[in-house]
Amino acid sequence: MDILVSGAGMAGLSAAVNLGARGHRVTIVERSSHFRVNGSPIDVRGDAIEIVDKMGLLPQILAQRVDMTEQGQFVNGDGEVVARLPLEETSDSADDIEIAREDLARILADALPADATVIFQDSVSSLADNGDGVDVRFVSGREAGYDLVVGADGLHSAVRRLAFGPERDYIRHLGFYIAIADLPDEQPRADRVNPVYNYPEHMVSVMRYKDKALGVFLFRSDPIEYDYHDLDAQKQILADAFAGHSEWRIPALIEAARVDPELYFDSAAQIHMPAWHRGRVVLVGDAAHAASGLSGRGTSIAFTGTHILAEELENCAGDHATAFPRYETRQRPYADFAQHSIHGGAELVVPATWEAIHARNERIAAASR
Ligand SMILES: Cc1cc2nc3c(=O)[nH]c(=O)nc-3n(C[C@H](O)[C@H](O)[C@H](O)COP(=O)(O)OP(=O)(O)OC[C@H]3O[C@@H](n4cnc5c(N)ncnc54)[C@H](O)[C@@H]3O)c2cc1C
Protein backbone atom coordinates (compact mmCIF):
# COMPACT_ATOMS: atom_id res chain seq x y z
CA MET A 1 0.00 0.00 0.00
CA ASP A 2 0.95 3.65 -0.37
CA ILE A 3 1.02 5.06 3.14
CA LEU A 4 1.51 8.67 4.21
CA VAL A 5 3.08 9.19 7.63
CA SER A 6 2.70 12.72 9.00
CA GLY A 7 5.59 13.58 11.35
CA ALA A 8 9.17 12.33 11.51
CA GLY A 9 9.58 12.05 15.28
CA MET A 10 10.18 8.75 17.01
CA ALA A 11 6.65 7.53 16.22
CA GLY A 12 6.76 8.57 12.56
CA LEU A 13 10.19 7.10 11.90
CA SER A 14 9.30 3.90 13.73
CA ALA A 15 6.02 3.63 11.79
CA ALA A 16 7.88 4.07 8.51
CA VAL A 17 10.51 1.46 9.42
CA ASN A 18 7.88 -1.09 10.53
CA LEU A 19 5.55 -0.50 7.57
CA GLY A 20 8.39 -0.35 5.06
CA ALA A 21 9.76 -3.66 6.36
CA ARG A 22 6.40 -5.24 5.41
CA GLY A 23 6.57 -4.01 1.84
CA HIS A 24 4.49 -0.84 2.04
CA ARG A 25 5.61 2.28 0.16
CA VAL A 26 5.95 5.01 2.76
CA THR A 27 6.05 8.77 2.36
CA ILE A 28 6.90 10.81 5.46
CA VAL A 29 5.98 14.49 5.59
CA GLU A 30 7.72 16.54 8.30
CA ARG A 31 6.83 20.15 9.05
CA SER A 32 10.36 21.04 10.13
CA SER A 33 13.26 21.51 7.69
CA HIS A 34 15.14 18.58 9.23
CA PHE A 35 14.75 15.68 11.66
CA ARG A 36 14.16 17.33 15.05
CA VAL A 37 16.74 15.53 17.12
CA ASN A 38 17.34 17.79 20.11
CA GLY A 39 15.89 17.21 23.58
CA SER A 40 16.97 15.29 26.61
CA PRO A 41 17.97 11.61 26.46
CA ILE A 42 14.98 9.28 26.29
CA ASP A 43 14.20 5.86 27.66
CA VAL A 44 13.51 2.70 25.69
CA ARG A 45 11.99 0.39 28.27
CA GLY A 46 9.78 -2.60 28.92
CA ASP A 47 8.32 -4.35 25.88
CA ALA A 48 9.74 -1.66 23.59
CA ILE A 49 13.16 -3.26 24.05
CA GLU A 50 11.88 -6.51 22.57
CA ILE A 51 10.31 -4.55 19.73
CA VAL A 52 13.47 -2.66 18.76
CA ASP A 53 15.17 -6.07 18.88
CA LYS A 54 12.57 -7.43 16.41
CA MET A 55 13.18 -4.34 14.26
CA GLY A 56 16.89 -5.34 14.20
CA LEU A 57 17.93 -2.11 15.96
CA LEU A 58 18.81 -3.29 19.47
CA PRO A 59 22.59 -3.66 18.85
CA GLN A 60 22.84 -0.12 17.47
CA ILE A 61 20.75 1.26 20.34
CA LEU A 62 22.83 -0.56 22.97
CA ALA A 63 26.00 0.72 21.32
CA GLN A 64 24.78 4.33 21.77
CA ARG A 65 23.39 3.83 25.28
CA VAL A 66 24.09 6.78 27.58
CA ASP A 67 25.32 6.26 31.08
CA MET A 68 23.03 8.54 33.10
CA THR A 69 24.75 8.04 36.43
CA GLU A 70 25.13 11.77 36.91
CA GLN A 71 23.67 12.62 40.26
CA GLY A 72 20.87 15.12 40.68
CA GLN A 73 21.76 17.67 43.33
CA PHE A 74 19.28 20.20 44.65
CA VAL A 75 21.00 23.54 45.18
CA ASN A 76 19.95 26.77 46.86
CA GLY A 77 20.01 30.25 45.31
CA ASP A 78 23.77 30.50 45.97
CA GLY A 79 24.46 27.17 44.28
CA GLU A 80 25.17 25.32 47.55
CA VAL A 81 24.07 21.67 47.57
CA VAL A 82 21.13 21.09 49.92
CA ALA A 83 20.19 17.48 49.00
CA ARG A 84 21.51 14.75 46.74
CA LEU A 85 19.00 12.73 44.77
CA PRO A 86 19.45 8.95 44.94
CA LEU A 87 19.43 7.39 41.46
CA GLU A 88 16.39 5.25 42.37
CA GLU A 89 14.32 8.45 42.44
CA THR A 90 15.05 9.25 38.82
CA SER A 91 14.82 5.81 37.26
CA ASP A 92 11.77 3.65 37.91
CA SER A 93 12.85 0.71 35.83
CA ALA A 94 15.90 -1.49 36.00
CA ASP A 95 15.55 -2.60 32.39
CA ASP A 96 15.56 0.77 30.65
CA ILE A 97 18.01 1.84 27.97
CA GLU A 98 18.70 5.55 27.95
CA ILE A 99 19.79 7.04 24.64
CA ALA A 100 20.20 10.56 23.27
CA ARG A 101 17.26 11.63 21.08
CA GLU A 102 19.68 12.52 18.29
CA ASP A 103 21.25 9.05 18.32
CA LEU A 104 17.91 7.24 18.35
CA ALA A 105 16.57 9.41 15.50
CA ARG A 106 19.70 8.70 13.46
CA ILE A 107 19.41 4.94 14.01
CA LEU A 108 15.75 5.00 12.91
CA ALA A 109 16.43 7.27 9.92
CA ASP A 110 19.24 4.96 8.78
CA ALA A 111 16.82 2.02 8.99
CA LEU A 112 14.23 3.61 6.68
CA PRO A 113 13.58 1.46 3.61
CA ALA A 114 15.43 2.57 0.48
CA ASP A 115 12.19 3.49 -1.31
CA ALA A 116 10.81 5.63 1.55
CA THR A 117 10.37 9.31 0.68
CA VAL A 118 10.89 12.03 3.28
CA ILE A 119 9.45 15.46 2.49
CA PHE A 120 10.57 18.27 4.80
CA GLN A 121 8.95 21.67 5.34
CA ASP A 122 5.46 20.60 4.43
CA SER A 123 2.35 19.51 6.24
CA VAL A 124 -1.08 18.06 5.57
CA SER A 125 -3.70 20.78 5.12
CA SER A 126 -6.74 18.65 4.22
CA LEU A 127 -7.73 14.98 4.16
CA ALA A 128 -10.68 13.50 2.29
CA ASP A 129 -11.44 9.79 2.69
CA ASN A 130 -13.02 8.79 -0.63
CA GLY A 131 -13.77 5.21 0.43
CA ASP A 132 -10.97 3.67 -1.65
CA GLY A 133 -8.21 5.95 -0.40
CA VAL A 134 -7.41 9.32 1.12
CA ASP A 135 -7.01 12.44 -1.00
CA VAL A 136 -4.44 14.64 0.67
CA ARG A 137 -3.69 18.27 0.08
CA PHE A 138 -0.51 19.75 1.55
CA VAL A 139 0.24 23.27 2.76
CA SER A 140 2.66 23.60 -0.18
CA GLY A 141 -0.28 23.12 -2.57
CA ARG A 142 0.82 19.65 -3.61
CA GLU A 143 -1.92 16.98 -3.83
CA ALA A 144 -1.57 13.20 -3.65
CA GLY A 145 -3.61 10.07 -2.93
CA TYR A 146 -2.72 7.39 -0.37
CA ASP A 147 -4.26 4.10 0.74
CA LEU A 148 -3.77 5.00 4.40
CA VAL A 149 -2.68 8.04 6.44
CA VAL A 150 -0.81 7.61 9.74
CA GLY A 151 -0.83 10.66 12.04
CA ALA A 152 2.48 10.66 13.92
CA ASP A 153 2.69 14.42 14.28
CA GLY A 154 2.87 14.70 18.04
CA LEU A 155 0.94 16.38 20.83
CA HIS A 156 -0.43 19.11 18.54
CA SER A 157 -1.18 16.74 15.64
CA ALA A 158 -2.58 18.24 12.44
CA VAL A 159 -3.92 14.86 11.29
CA ARG A 160 -5.84 14.51 14.57
CA ARG A 161 -7.35 17.98 14.15
CA LEU A 162 -8.35 17.31 10.53
CA ALA A 163 -9.77 13.81 11.05
CA PHE A 164 -11.00 13.84 14.65
CA GLY A 165 -11.64 17.47 15.58
CA PRO A 166 -10.02 20.19 17.69
CA GLU A 167 -7.20 19.54 20.14
CA ARG A 168 -9.21 20.95 23.06
CA ASP A 169 -11.49 17.88 22.86
CA TYR A 170 -8.61 15.53 23.67
CA ILE A 171 -5.85 17.37 25.56
CA ARG A 172 -5.40 17.28 29.35
CA HIS A 173 -3.03 19.92 30.59
CA LEU A 174 -1.03 18.67 33.60
CA GLY A 175 -0.41 22.13 35.00
CA PHE A 176 3.10 22.99 33.87
CA TYR A 177 5.37 23.76 30.94
CA ILE A 178 8.77 22.41 30.00
CA ALA A 179 11.60 23.93 27.98
CA ILE A 180 14.93 22.39 27.01
CA ALA A 181 17.83 24.45 25.67
CA ASP A 182 21.20 23.40 24.36
CA LEU A 183 24.15 24.75 26.41
CA PRO A 184 27.02 24.63 23.90
CA ASP A 185 29.33 26.69 26.14
CA GLU A 186 28.85 24.62 29.28
CA GLN A 187 32.15 23.18 30.51
CA PRO A 188 32.28 19.45 31.29
CA ARG A 189 32.54 18.65 35.00
CA ALA A 190 34.53 15.77 36.39
CA ASP A 191 32.18 15.36 39.38
CA ARG A 192 29.28 14.35 37.09
CA VAL A 193 26.45 16.17 38.82
CA ASN A 194 23.25 17.69 37.51
CA PRO A 195 22.35 20.70 39.66
CA VAL A 196 18.66 21.52 40.16
CA TYR A 197 17.38 24.81 41.57
CA ASN A 198 13.77 25.38 42.65
CA TYR A 199 11.71 28.29 43.80
CA PRO A 200 7.95 27.87 44.21
CA GLU A 201 6.32 26.57 41.03
CA HIS A 202 9.61 26.78 39.10
CA MET A 203 12.62 24.57 38.39
CA VAL A 204 15.84 25.23 36.49
CA SER A 205 18.54 22.63 36.05
CA VAL A 206 21.57 21.67 34.03
CA MET A 207 21.56 18.14 32.67
CA ARG A 208 24.78 16.63 31.39
CA TYR A 209 25.20 13.50 29.28
CA LYS A 210 28.01 12.40 27.00
CA ASP A 211 29.80 15.62 26.06
CA LYS A 212 26.58 17.68 26.03
CA ALA A 213 24.75 19.88 28.49
CA LEU A 214 21.15 21.04 28.46
CA GLY A 215 19.30 23.69 30.41
CA VAL A 216 15.96 22.26 31.57
CA PHE A 217 13.17 24.56 32.76
CA LEU A 218 9.80 23.72 34.31
CA PHE A 219 7.14 26.09 35.57
CA ARG A 220 3.61 25.62 36.77
CA SER A 221 0.94 27.47 34.84
CA ASP A 222 -2.62 27.24 33.66
CA PRO A 223 -2.91 26.62 29.90
CA ILE A 224 -1.35 29.43 27.85
CA GLU A 225 -2.66 30.36 24.40
CA TYR A 226 0.20 30.64 21.90
CA ASP A 227 1.14 29.68 18.38
CA TYR A 228 2.93 26.30 18.51
CA HIS A 229 4.92 27.26 15.43
CA ASP A 230 6.13 30.62 16.81
CA LEU A 231 9.43 29.94 18.57
CA ASP A 232 9.97 33.60 19.50
CA ALA A 233 6.62 33.65 21.29
CA GLN A 234 7.61 30.50 23.21
CA LYS A 235 10.94 32.06 24.22
CA GLN A 236 9.08 35.13 25.48
CA ILE A 237 6.69 32.99 27.55
CA LEU A 238 9.69 31.23 29.09
CA ALA A 239 11.52 34.49 29.84
CA ASP A 240 8.36 36.00 31.37
CA ALA A 241 7.87 32.93 33.56
CA PHE A 242 11.34 33.38 35.13
CA ALA A 243 11.41 37.22 35.06
CA GLY A 244 12.63 38.96 38.22
CA HIS A 245 14.78 36.01 39.32
CA SER A 246 18.54 36.43 39.18
CA GLU A 247 19.50 33.81 41.79
CA TRP A 248 21.66 30.83 40.95
CA ARG A 249 22.26 30.76 37.15
CA ILE A 250 18.77 31.73 35.99
CA PRO A 251 19.59 34.79 33.80
CA ALA A 252 22.42 33.01 31.93
CA LEU A 253 20.33 29.89 31.35
CA ILE A 254 17.34 31.92 30.12
CA GLU A 255 19.72 33.72 27.77
CA ALA A 256 20.95 30.34 26.45
CA ALA A 257 17.32 29.41 25.76
CA ARG A 258 16.76 32.74 23.99
CA VAL A 259 19.57 32.11 21.50
CA ASP A 260 18.88 28.39 20.92
CA PRO A 261 17.38 27.99 17.42
CA GLU A 262 16.07 24.52 18.39
CA LEU A 263 14.61 25.29 21.82
CA TYR A 264 12.05 22.65 22.84
CA PHE A 265 9.04 24.19 24.55
CA ASP A 266 5.70 22.57 25.27
CA SER A 267 3.12 21.96 27.93
CA ALA A 268 3.20 18.81 30.00
CA ALA A 269 -0.01 17.33 28.68
CA GLN A 270 -1.73 14.10 27.79
CA ILE A 271 -3.97 13.13 24.91
CA HIS A 272 -7.01 10.98 25.72
CA MET A 273 -9.14 9.77 22.82
CA PRO A 274 -12.00 7.28 22.64
CA ALA A 275 -10.69 5.96 19.29
CA TRP A 276 -7.42 6.33 17.39
CA HIS A 277 -8.74 5.49 13.94
CA ARG A 278 -11.39 6.83 11.60
CA GLY A 279 -11.81 5.36 8.14
CA ARG A 280 -8.37 5.12 6.55
CA VAL A 281 -6.71 7.48 9.03
CA VAL A 282 -4.97 6.20 12.15
CA LEU A 283 -2.99 7.92 14.91
CA VAL A 284 0.19 6.69 16.64
CA GLY A 285 2.57 8.03 19.30
CA ASP A 286 1.86 11.33 21.08
CA ALA A 287 -0.79 12.25 18.49
CA ALA A 288 -2.90 9.34 19.79
CA HIS A 289 -1.93 8.96 23.42
CA ALA A 290 0.68 11.45 24.67
CA ALA A 291 1.57 10.55 28.26
CA SER A 292 3.85 13.59 28.93
CA GLY A 293 7.55 13.61 29.71
CA LEU A 294 6.72 12.76 33.33
CA SER A 295 5.93 9.18 32.29
CA GLY A 296 9.34 8.57 30.74
CA ARG A 297 7.53 6.19 28.40
CA GLY A 298 6.43 8.32 25.42
CA THR A 299 9.00 6.88 23.04
CA SER A 300 8.56 3.30 24.28
CA ILE A 301 4.82 3.35 23.68
CA ALA A 302 5.38 4.95 20.28
CA PHE A 303 7.51 1.90 19.45
CA THR A 304 4.99 -0.65 20.71
CA GLY A 305 2.11 1.06 18.90
CA THR A 306 3.78 1.45 15.53
CA HIS A 307 5.04 -2.13 15.60
CA ILE A 308 1.60 -3.49 16.54
CA LEU A 309 -0.04 -1.39 13.82
CA ALA A 310 2.26 -2.76 11.10
CA GLU A 311 1.89 -6.29 12.44
CA GLU A 312 -1.93 -6.12 12.47
CA LEU A 313 -2.05 -4.72 8.92
CA GLU A 314 0.03 -7.72 7.90
CA ASN A 315 -2.11 -10.19 9.92
CA CYS A 316 -5.26 -8.77 8.29
CA ALA A 317 -3.78 -8.80 4.77
CA GLY A 318 -4.03 -5.02 4.55
CA ASP A 319 -7.69 -4.83 5.62
CA HIS A 320 -7.43 -1.63 7.66
CA ALA A 321 -11.03 -1.84 8.88
CA THR A 322 -10.13 -5.00 10.81
CA ALA A 323 -6.50 -4.15 11.57
CA PHE A 324 -7.04 -0.69 13.12
CA PRO A 325 -9.37 -1.86 15.94
CA ARG A 326 -7.02 -4.76 16.64
CA TYR A 327 -4.08 -2.33 16.84
CA GLU A 328 -6.06 -0.24 19.27
CA THR A 329 -7.04 -3.16 21.49
CA ARG A 330 -3.45 -4.35 21.81
CA GLN A 331 -1.92 -0.86 22.25
CA ARG A 332 -4.42 0.54 24.81
CA PRO A 333 -2.88 -1.19 27.85
CA TYR A 334 0.55 0.31 27.04
CA ALA A 335 -0.91 3.80 26.65
CA ASP A 336 -3.04 3.50 29.80
CA PHE A 337 -0.11 2.28 31.85
CA ALA A 338 2.14 5.12 30.66
CA GLN A 339 -0.54 7.74 31.23
CA HIS A 340 -1.02 6.47 34.79
CA SER A 341 2.73 6.43 35.53
CA ILE A 342 3.13 10.15 36.13
CA HIS A 343 1.87 10.60 39.66
CA GLY A 344 4.18 12.30 42.12
CA GLY A 345 6.63 13.48 39.46
CA ALA A 346 5.55 17.13 39.57
CA GLU A 347 5.69 17.25 43.37
CA LEU A 348 9.28 16.02 43.26
CA VAL A 349 10.64 18.25 40.52
CA VAL A 350 8.56 21.41 40.74
CA PRO A 351 7.04 21.82 44.23
CA ALA A 352 4.44 24.57 44.59
CA THR A 353 5.63 26.27 47.82
CA TRP A 354 8.81 26.94 49.81
CA GLU A 355 7.44 24.61 52.49
CA ALA A 356 7.10 21.82 49.91
CA ILE A 357 10.60 22.52 48.55
CA HIS A 358 12.17 22.37 52.05
CA ALA A 359 10.17 19.24 52.95
CA ARG A 360 11.34 17.49 49.78
CA ASN A 361 14.97 18.47 50.41
CA GLU A 362 14.72 17.28 54.03
CA ARG A 363 13.21 13.96 52.98
CA ILE A 364 15.90 13.34 50.36
CA ALA A 365 18.75 14.46 52.60
CA ALA A 366 17.47 12.16 55.37
CA ALA A 367 17.10 9.21 52.98
CA SER A 368 20.65 9.59 51.68
CA ARG A 369 22.02 9.79 55.28
C1 LIG B 1 12.31 18.46 19.33
C2 LIG B 1 11.68 17.58 20.35
C3 LIG B 1 12.30 17.41 21.59
C4 LIG B 1 11.71 16.60 22.56
N1 LIG B 1 12.34 16.49 23.75
C5 LIG B 1 11.78 15.75 24.72
C6 LIG B 1 12.39 15.63 25.98
O1 LIG B 1 13.45 16.18 26.22
N2 LIG B 1 11.79 14.88 26.92
C7 LIG B 1 10.60 14.23 26.66
O2 LIG B 1 10.08 13.54 27.54
N3 LIG B 1 10.00 14.31 25.47
C8 LIG B 1 10.54 15.07 24.49
N4 LIG B 1 9.92 15.16 23.28
C9 LIG B 1 8.68 14.38 23.07
C10 LIG B 1 9.02 12.91 22.80
O3 LIG B 1 9.96 12.82 21.77
C11 LIG B 1 7.74 12.18 22.44
O4 LIG B 1 6.87 12.21 23.56
C12 LIG B 1 7.90 10.70 22.07
O5 LIG B 1 9.15 10.41 21.48
C13 LIG B 1 6.79 10.29 21.07
O6 LIG B 1 7.12 10.88 19.85
P1 LIG B 1 6.16 11.29 18.66
O7 LIG B 1 6.92 10.98 17.43
O8 LIG B 1 4.81 10.73 18.85
O9 LIG B 1 5.99 12.89 18.84
P2 LIG B 1 7.09 14.03 18.63
O10 LIG B 1 8.41 13.62 19.19
O11 LIG B 1 6.49 15.28 19.14
O12 LIG B 1 7.29 14.12 17.04
C14 LIG B 1 6.32 14.69 16.20
C15 LIG B 1 7.01 15.09 14.90
O13 LIG B 1 6.01 15.58 14.01
C16 LIG B 1 6.41 16.81 13.47
N5 LIG B 1 5.19 17.58 13.19
C17 LIG B 1 4.42 18.27 14.05
N6 LIG B 1 3.37 18.80 13.41
C18 LIG B 1 3.47 18.41 12.13
C19 LIG B 1 2.67 18.62 10.97
N7 LIG B 1 1.56 19.37 11.03
N8 LIG B 1 3.07 18.06 9.79
C20 LIG B 1 4.20 17.31 9.72
N9 LIG B 1 5.00 17.09 10.78
C21 LIG B 1 4.63 17.64 11.97
C22 LIG B 1 7.30 17.43 14.54
O14 LIG B 1 8.19 18.40 13.99
C23 LIG B 1 8.04 16.19 15.05
O15 LIG B 1 9.16 15.90 14.26
C24 LIG B 1 10.48 15.95 22.29
C25 LIG B 1 9.85 16.10 21.05
C26 LIG B 1 10.44 16.90 20.07
C27 LIG B 1 9.76 17.07 18.73
Side-chain angles (χ1 to χ4, degrees):
M1 287 190 283
D2 269 319
I3 302 181
L4 176 69
V5 176
S6 173
M10 301 304 152
L13 290 171
S14 170
V17 171
N18 278 293
L19 292 165
R22 288 165 179 79
H24 302 294
R25 233 181 351 263
V26 180
T27 302
I28 306 180
V29 60
E30 163 61 46
R31 187 168 53 81
S32 182
S33 58
H34 51 277
F35 293 122
R36 301 201 57 205
V37 296
N38 55 318
S40 61
I42 44 190
D43 290 295
V44 181
R45 54 173 34 145
D47 288 359
I49 295 177
E50 194 186 324
I51 280 166
V52 294
D53 195 16
K54 284 186 189 163
M55 290 164 71
L57 304 179
L58 188 57
Q60 296 94 303
I61 289 175
L62 285 173
Q64 296 296 329
R65 180 180 208 156
V66 209
D67 168 17
M68 294 296 283
T69 47
E70 280 84 357
Q71 188 182 42
Q73 291 190 341
F74 293 106
V75 298
N76 64 19
D78 297 322
E80 295 158 352
V81 178
V82 289
R84 292 180 167 79
L85 192 62
L87 273 181
E88 312 84 78
E89 295 246 8
T90 50
S91 176
D92 63 350
S93 160
D95 68 351
D96 65 345
I97 303 171
E98 200 121 15
I99 180 168
R101 272 190 104 251
E102 59 262 39
D103 291 333
L104 189 53
R106 199 167 304 115
I107 290 168
L108 288 166
D110 287 348
L112 287 173
D115 65 350
T117 307
V118 185
I119 301 168
F120 289 106
Q121 285 187 295
D122 208 354
S123 173
V124 168
S125 66
S126 77
L127 299 168
D129 194 332
N130 63 27
D132 294 327
V134 189
D135 300 321
V136 178
R137 186 189 289 266
F138 295 87
V139 169
S140 60
R142 211 167 52 82
E143 293 180 354
Y146 299 92
D147 296 302
L148 301 176
V149 173
V150 178
D153 39 8
L155 186 62
H156 309 296
S157 167
V159 170
R160 188 184 59 231
R161 175 172 43 79
L162 293 168
F164 299 84
E167 182 172 304
R168 63 172 178 274
D169 292 352
Y170 306 112
I171 198 160
R172 277 188 211 166
H173 181 58
L174 298 181
F176 59 97
Y177 284 79
I178 178 165
I180 300 176
D182 197 16
L183 303 179
D185 299 330
E186 187 76 11
Q187 296 301 315
R189 279 176 56 155
D191 55 2
R192 300 173 62 87
V193 295
N194 287 330
V196 182
Y197 172 67
N198 285 104
Y199 64 90
E201 305 200 326
H202 294 73
M203 185 216 82
V204 192
S205 72
V206 174
M207 176 193 275
R208 295 188 177 79
Y209 65 98
K210 290 170 78 175
D211 55 350
K212 287 199 66 173
L214 302 171
V216 182
F217 308 82
L218 295 177
F219 62 95
R220 295 193 184 223
S221 167
D222 288 335
I224 303 169
E225 288 284 327
Y226 66 95
D227 178 353
Y228 303 131
H229 309 328
D230 185 345
L231 190 57
D232 288 339
Q234 297 168 27
K235 290 177 176 178
Q236 191 58 52
I237 292 168
L238 180 67
D240 290 347
F242 287 87
H245 283 265
S246 57
E247 64 272 29
W248 193 50
R249 301 177 54 188
I250 292 176
L253 292 171
I254 289 288
E255 176 59 15
R258 195 186 62 78
V259 299
D260 183 352
E262 295 278 331
L263 179 77
Y264 171 71
F265 178 89
D266 215 327
S267 61
Q270 295 190 334
I271 294 293
H272 291 263
M273 301 184 73
W276 298 327
H277 58 93
R278 184 165 286 175
R280 292 174 172 270
V281 179
V282 64
L283 301 177
V284 295
D286 280 7
H289 46 56
S292 89
L294 279 184
S295 80
R297 291 175 189 274
T299 302
S300 295
I301 59 174
F303 283 146
T304 55
T306 48
H307 183 77
I308 290 170
L309 175 66
E311 215 169 54
E312 288 300 344
L313 279 169
E314 185 175 43
N315 293 343
C316 301
D319 172 14
H320 68 277
T322 313
F324 286 175
R326 288 170 59 151
Y327 146 68
E328 197 167 309
T329 303
R330 285 177 61 194
Q331 173 66 359
R332 278 278 172 202
Y334 292 106
D336 289 348
F337 179 72
Q339 290 186 325
H340 285 104
S341 306
I342 58 159
H343 300 298
E347 280 60 41
L348 176 70
V349 293
V350 59
T353 62
W354 277 120
E355 290 71 29
I357 292 169
H358 294 318
R360 178 207 57 197
N361 293 348
E362 263 306 301
R363 178 178 67 76
I364 290 172
S368 54
R369 277 198 294 271

